[in-house]
């Protein structure tokens, strides 16, 4: 395959960026999108040019590091991560636009790499449980009803990639935050922090400069892990419950 | 030394709600639902125009005597007016502040543009601005009569006919009613999500209710200017 790439190039956080055009040839339809970018970078390095910076780690769809907006879609045209997107989803001769996540809370570090530490701070605010360390506890000591376990697992699938923020017209982190809140709040292990978790995580989310939810639904469409839009409804419910309870103390 | 037992002093309930994007959205949902309830009653009341001047004007008079003798003359009406003004102001201020926040959170656009479904969000914002302007005009036109030539207090039937006998009266009103329809269509379902009342099993029912409410309100409100234009009501 022969492709024309238009890639966002930006030297550093303070520099102005712009789209640069590159031609790549000899791309196999079985390559992943990141392998295609590796091919481009090898050519750039041989020519003595600066390779395109992009985030990646596991390359198997589980770590959440990869992050590209491809032809206007976060993670590209298929419902998966960029590392699991294959070139067979494109046609020979296509022109492909590649841009970084765009949100005030995700500043560009270089080229296609953005700083997602705002997500880490949201997790630090309440995305944990209090548990004694040491030997693993007896697994049957805390029974979890099957529907609750399924619900928790569905939300635990979030890999923190930030595609939801990138796709949202308001740069909102509601889907990410709600997946973490729902995951832990439904489980007995998460019960002691049930109220403080949702209050603190939502407060941190606001503090980081993410937008609010207008229920446009773009986040759930972009999410490679299929976190449902209803997850946000669930977090709203938890937040209102916690606010009512906190008001009584 | 004793340890402090209370370590999580939190701001007051009102502060928590107003300072949070989730809380402020709750204010929008509650005020929106109050206005929605009012609009349904208002629309049904308007339909009395089809039964003639005596019944319509009589209904308007009854609204002023509502609650007597427990309430003083017009008090019930004033209570409704105060609740509505508070709802409109809270809704509009929250809408403005949340929209500002949303726009700031997404400062640079993608180079590759897509036909995005921010459609609903945009129609909510433009529709809201149209509604705000309409509410002001509507009150000055048919409640106070400030912008209404030959306004007759106590004769709402005649005043309504006057308004819908001008082309601009019809245009302003019909545009606003269509804006209400669109706003309620997304707004009712949205409010259910904001208040945590939505769920997978309830989603279809909520969407059908939202569409039905939007349709009934639009048809009900539009029927009045259409009836005046076509001479059914004169
Ligand atoms: C003063 C004029 C108004 C303005 C500026 C306004 C603006 C807005 C905006 C910007 C939204 C948020 C949309 C979103 O999040 O996507 C909204 C939601 C809503 N509006 Fe209005 N609106 C106005 C009047 C009304 C009226 C008259 C009603 C009564 C039917 C209403 C009912 C609602 C409801 C139920 C919601 C949903 C709240 C939620 O998403 O939780 N609004 N409005
Ligand atoms: S909710 Fe989905 S899109 Fe958002 S961070 Fe988690 S996995 Fe990524
Ligand atoms: S590189 Fe780990 S999810 Fe894509």
């Amino acid at each position: 395959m022969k492709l024309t790439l238009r890639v966002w190039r930006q030297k550093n956080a303070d520099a102005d960026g712009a789209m640069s055009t590159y031609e790549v040839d000899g791309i196999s339809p079985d390559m992943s999108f990141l392998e295609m970018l590796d091919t481009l970078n090898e050519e750039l390095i041989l020519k003595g040019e600066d390779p395109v910076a992009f985030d990646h780690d596991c390359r198997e769809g589980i770590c959440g590091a990869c992050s590209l907006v491809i032809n206007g879609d976060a993670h590209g045209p298929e419902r998966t991560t960029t590392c699991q997107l294959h070139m067979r989803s494109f046609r020979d001769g296509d022109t492909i636009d590649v841009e970084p996540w765009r949100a005030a809370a995700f500043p560009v570090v270089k080229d296609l790499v953005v700083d997602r530490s705002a997500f880490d701070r949201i997790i630090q605010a309440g995305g944990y449980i209090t548990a004694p360390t040491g030997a693993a506890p007896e697994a049957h000591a805390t029974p979890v009803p099957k529907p609750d376990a399924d619900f928790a697992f569905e939300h635990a699938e979030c890999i923190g990639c930030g595609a939801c923020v990138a796709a949202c017209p308001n740069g909102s982190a509601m889907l990410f935050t709600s997946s973490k809140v729902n995951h832990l709040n439904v489980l007995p292990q998460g019960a002691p922090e049930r109220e403080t978790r949702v209050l603190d995580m939502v407060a941190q989310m606001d503090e980081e400069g993410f937008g609010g939810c207008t229920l446009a639904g773009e986040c759930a469409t972009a999410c490679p892990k299929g976190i449902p839009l209803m997850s946000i409804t669930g977090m709203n419910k938890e937040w209102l419950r916690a606010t009512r309870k906190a008001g009584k103390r | 030394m004793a340890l402090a037992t209370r370590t999580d002093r939190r701001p007051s309930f009102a502060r928590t709600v107003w300072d949070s994007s989730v809380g402020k959205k709750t204010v929008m949902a509650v005020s929106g639902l109050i206005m929605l309830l009012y609009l349904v009653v208002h629309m049904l009341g308007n339909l009395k125009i089809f039964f003639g001047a005596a019944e319509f004007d009589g209904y308007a008079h009854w609204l002023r005597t509502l609650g007597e003798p427990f309430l003083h003359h017009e008090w019930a009406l004033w209570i409704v007016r105060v609740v509505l003004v508070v709802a409109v102001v809270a809704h509009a201020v929250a809408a403005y502040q949340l929209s500002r926040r949303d726009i700031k959170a997404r400062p640079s656009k993608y180079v590759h543009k897509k036909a995005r479904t921010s459609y609903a969000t945009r129609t909510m914002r433009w529709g809201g601005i149209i509604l705000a302007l309409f509410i002001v005009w509507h009150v000055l036109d048919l409640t106070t009569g400030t912008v209404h030539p030959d306004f007759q207090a106590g004769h709402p039937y005649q005043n309504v006919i006057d308004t819908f006998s001008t082309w601009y009266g019809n245009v302003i009103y019909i545009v606003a009613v269509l804006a209400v329809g669109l706003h309620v269509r997304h707004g009712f379902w949205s409010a259910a999500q904001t208040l945590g009342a939505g769920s997978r099993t309830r989603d279809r029912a909520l969407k059908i209710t939202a569409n039905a409410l939007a349709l009934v309100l639009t048809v009900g409100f539009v029927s009045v200017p259409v009836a005046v234009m076509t001479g059914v009501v004169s």
Side-chain angles (χ1 to χ4, degrees), chain A residues 71-73 97 99-100 102 104 154 166-170 200 206 209-214 218 230 233 236-237 239, chain B residues 10 20-23 25 101-102 104-108 110-112 114 116-117 121 186 190 193-194 196 198 200 203:
Chain A
N71 286 341
D73 288 316
D97 290 340
E99 300 174 68
R102 293 241 179 256
E154 183 182 18
C168 176
N170 312 317
D200 293 344
D206 284 347
F210 290 105
C213 179
T214 54
E218 288 286 323
M230 248 2 131
T233 311
N236 288 336
K237 193 172 177 178
W239 189 90
Chain B
R10 287 180 180 271
S20 161
S21 64
V22 173
K25 195 80 198 283
R101 169 182 195 96
D102 295 348
K104 234 178 89 191
R106 190 60 178 290
S108 38
Y110 289 108
V111 175
H112 190 107
K114 269 200 348 166
R116 294 192 167 266
T117 51
T121 308
H186 183 70
S190 276
Q193 311 310 319
T194 302
R200 247 169 276 196
D203 204 46

Side-chain angles (χ1 to χ4, degrees), chain A residues 125-176:
Chain A
Y128 53 80
I129 61 160
T130 307
T133 55
E138 155 62 32
H140 294 297
T142 318
V144 180
K146 177 79 163 84
D148 290 357
D150 288 346
F151 181 86
F153 192 75
E154 183 182 18
H155 290 92
E157 277 197 68
C158 168
I159 52 177
C161 62
C164 43
V165 176
C168 176
N170 312 317
S172 172
M174 289 284 277
L175 196 68
F176 165 77

Side-chain angles (χ1 to χ4, degrees), chain B residues 10-197:
Chain B
R10 287 180 180 271
S12 70
F13 179 79
R15 265 269 141 253
T16 311
V17 169
W18 190 251
D19 284 350
S20 161
S21 64
V22 173
K24 208 167 275 183
K25 195 80 198 283
T26 314
V27 173
M28 291 203 69
V30 172
S31 55
L33 291 178
I34 291 172
M35 292 189 281
L36 178 58
L37 178 70
Y38 169 77
L39 283 186
V40 172
V41 176
H42 186 25
M43 186 273 288
L44 292 174
N46 285 0
L47 296 182
K48 292 222 176 303
I49 202 150
F50 289 100
F51 301 108
E55 185 154 343
F56 192 70
D57 291 356
Y59 167 67
H61 180 71
W62 171 79
L63 285 177
R64 281 149 183 84
T65 60
L66 187 67
E68 286 181 26
F70 179 66
L71 293 175
H72 188 66
H73 186 67
E74 284 199 353
W75 274 23
L77 196 60
W78 275 105
I79 291 170
V80 172
R81 284 171 176 165
V82 170
V83 169
L84 282 176
V85 167
V86 170
V88 170
V89 171
H91 194 82
V93 172
Y96 173 76
Q97 294 185 352
L98 285 173
S99 299
R100 281 282 305 268
R101 169 182 195 96
D102 295 348
I103 292 165
K104 234 178 89 191
R106 190 60 178 290
S108 38
K109 303 280 161 267
Y110 289 108
V111 175
H112 190 107
K113 298 262 175 326
K114 269 200 348 166
R116 294 192 167 266
T117 51
S118 56
Y119 168 76
T121 308
R122 264 184 286 126
T123 44
M124 288 304 270
R125 288 184 190 150
W126 282 109
I129 293 169
I130 292 173
L131 286 178
L133 294 174
F134 170 75
I135 292 169
V136 173
W137 177 78
H138 190 58
V139 168
L140 294 179
D141 179 39
L142 288 171
T143 308
T144 66
T146 319
V147 297
H148 191 113
D150 308 321
F151 182 77
Q152 300 173 36
H155 294 87
Y157 186 88
Q158 190 52 46
N159 294 334
V160 169
I161 304 262
D162 289 350
T163 289
F164 294 138
S165 303
T166 61
W167 67 267
Y168 60 86
N170 285 314
V171 169
I172 296 175
Y173 191 87
I174 291 173
V175 167
V177 168
L178 293 177
V180 166
L182 282 176
H183 204 81
V184 167
R185 188 164 177 262
H186 183 70
F188 180 78
W189 176 82
S190 276
Q193 311 310 319
T194 302
L195 298 174

Side-chain angles (χ1 to χ4, degrees), chain A residues 34 56-66 81-83 159:
Chain A
L34 297 186
H56 61 104
D57 189 16
C58 70
R59 296 208 177 196
E60 54 182 275
I62 56 169
C63 76
C66 57
T81 54
T82 300
C83 58
I159 52 177

Side-chain angles (χ1 to χ4, degrees), chain A residues 17 21 54 66 72 95 102 108 124 134 156-157 168 176 248-249:
Chain A
T21 308
F54 61 89
C66 57
T95 299
R102 293 241 179 256
V108 173
Q124 279 163 20
E157 277 197 68
C168 176
F176 165 77
K248 283 191 203 128
R249 289 215 182 113

